[in-house]
Amino acid sequence: MIDLKWKRLGALDATLIAQLLKCNRSCTKLDLAWNSELCSAGSTGAIDLAEALAANRTLKELDLSETRLGDSCAPAMCRAVGNATLTKLNLRSTGLGREAREEIEAENAEIRAYAQQVMAREQALRLAREKDCLLYTSDAADE
C-alpha cells in the first residue's frame, strides 16, 4: 500500500502519479485522500489519473476522497470504474455533482451486471470441464 494522504499534493503530482500508475506492476492500494489541490480546477490531473486507472491492471483499491475532482473528470472516471481489477474506489466528498455521480454509478452497475454474467459463464464452464475430466477419468479406468 502506498499512503499519500494529507501530503499537499498538487495537479502536477496527479499527472506524475498517473504516469507511475500506467506502468505499475506491484501496488494494489493507493490512498490519495485529503489532497484537496491534487485535482484542482483547470488542471488535467484528475483526467490523467482516471485514464491511468483505466489502463492499470494491478491496483485494487484507490481512495480519492476529499480531492475536489469536479464534474469534468466524470467521463474519464467512468472508464476507470470499468477497470477489471479495481474493486474499491472512494470518491466521497470529491465535488462531483449529482449528474456525474449518477453517471459513474450507472457505469458501475453495468460493469457489476456484466461481471456477474461472466462469472456465471466461467462457473458453468468449470463445472463442464470437471464433469468432462471425471468422465475421461472413469473411461480410462474402465479400460
Side-chain angles (χ1 to χ4, degrees), residues 15-140:
T15 300
L16 294 172
I17 291 167
Q19 292 301 315
L20 293 172
L21 282 174
K22 287 180 183 177
C23 59
N24 171 44
R25 300 288 181 260
S26 60
C27 178
T28 59
K29 295 180 183 180
L30 178 59
D31 189 345
L32 297 171
W34 292 96
N35 286 291
S36 60
E37 298 304 314
L38 187 70
C39 302
S40 57
S43 78
T44 61
I47 294 170
D48 292 341
L49 276 174
E51 289 174 353
L53 288 172
N56 183 283
R57 296 291 173 245
T58 307
L59 199 65
K60 303 269 187 231
E61 297 181 24
L62 175 63
D63 189 344
L64 289 171
S65 58
E66 303 293 336
T67 56
R68 294 188 209 166
L69 294 177
D71 290 345
S72 63
C73 76
M77 274 300 162
C78 283
R79 289 189 295 278
V81 168
N83 177 339
T85 61
L86 199 59
T87 58
K88 184 177 180 183
L89 176 61
N90 187 347
L91 297 174
R92 194 173 328 145
S93 299
T94 54
L96 291 170
R98 183 178 50 84
E99 196 172 300
R101 283 193 315 271
E102 288 173 357
E103 185 179 346
I104 292 169
E105 288 167 2
E107 180 71 20
N108 188 38
E110 285 179 30
I111 289 162
R112 284 179 184 263
Y114 176 73
Q116 288 174 344
Q117 290 173 352
V118 169
M119 288 188 312
R121 274 186 260 148
E122 286 176 357
Q123 184 177 10
L125 287 170
R126 187 173 54 253
L127 289 172
R129 280 193 296 263
E130 286 173 6
K131 185 174 180 172
D132 190 41
C133 287
L134 289 174
L135 289 173
Y136 179 76
T137 302
S138 74
D139 289 346

